[in-house]
Amino acid sequence: MGVISAQSSDDENAITQLAARVGKCLRQKDLLLVSAESCTGGWLGQAVTAIAGSSAWYERGFITYSNDAKNELLNVSLAILGKYGAVSEEAARSMALGAQKNSHAHVSVAITGIAGPAGGSKTKPVGTVCFAWMLKDGALTSETCHFSGDRESVRRQSVIKALNGILSLLSRHP
């Protein structure tokens, strides 16, 4: 096992605290969460299920790393993937919608990006991550971030951003 730096330990504590806040907020509103993850490979799902009692508010998660998985499990159209690519707000929004349609959840979050060290391009460099958050009533927001650091750092920052985005979405929609 590798040495855990103070920074990564602080980030893990932040993730745990954020996941607990997300759970508390979802429980208070009697809502269920579904996640659709690509570059984070289930890290968000792991973070929320690390919270005792999360089965009361976390319905399921999809890890859709390949385009085929995005298409088959989340109904992300091949047209969207072809025109915009898997790392796009269009794909993230479609992932969030597909996750809700294929679950019993009221809130969805989607994460798709390029964690590196390879796979980036001039227009989508390593560290580019697209997010979408959706409420069952149709409220949908998306955002693209550009994170720095190594693969683990980009993935960790993505989970933190996704959890904060859930809290933000829930605070705007009582």
Side-chain angles (χ1 to χ4, degrees):
M1 283 181 62
V3 175
I4 298 175
S5 70
Q7 178 64 37
S8 65
S9 178
D10 289 346
D11 285 346
E12 284 307 311
N13 289 336
I15 289 172
T16 300
Q17 290 173 2
L18 281 169
R21 285 180 53 207
V22 164
K24 181 178 180 183
C25 190
L26 288 164
R27 274 193 322 272
Q28 287 173 345
K29 296 174 183 280
D30 197 28
L31 299 174
L32 295 173
L33 174 67
V34 62
S35 58
E37 300 182 66
S38 186
C39 66
T40 49
W43 194 337
L44 186 136
Q46 186 280 327
V48 298
T49 59
I51 306 303
S54 58
S55 61
W57 50 270
Y58 183 62
E59 207 267 334
R60 70 181 72 178
F62 296 91
I63 301 172
T64 55
Y65 207 68
S66 70
N67 283 353
D68 284 343
K70 288 173 183 67
N71 174 253
E72 293 166 11
L73 298 174
L74 299 173
N75 310 110
V76 178
S77 77
L78 296 177
I80 285 175
L81 294 169
K83 183 173 182 179
Y84 302 103
V87 180
S88 64
E89 287 186 41
E90 292 81 3
R93 288 192 297 266
S94 188
M95 289 169 66
L97 178 62
Q100 271 196 12
K101 284 187 175 181
N102 292 298
S103 73
H104 303 285
H106 310 94
V107 179
S108 60
V109 59
I111 308 167
T112 183
I114 306 164
S121 68
K122 208 168 211 122
T123 56
K124 294 180 185 177
V126 169
T128 302
V129 183
C130 301
F131 301 87
W133 301 270
M134 183 178 177
L135 288 174
K136 200 165 198 115
D137 72 4
L140 174 65
T141 60
S142 61
E143 184 177 345
T144 299
C145 293
H146 300 280
F147 299 120
S148 61
D150 63 11
R151 182 177 181 82
E152 183 176 344
S153 177
V154 168
R155 295 173 74 225
R156 179 181 290 112
Q157 291 171 79
S158 297
V159 172
I160 291 169
K161 176 68 179 181
L163 291 167
N164 276 317
I166 295 165
L167 291 171
S168 177
L169 180 70
L170 292 172
S171 73
R172 292 191 310 269
H173 300 277

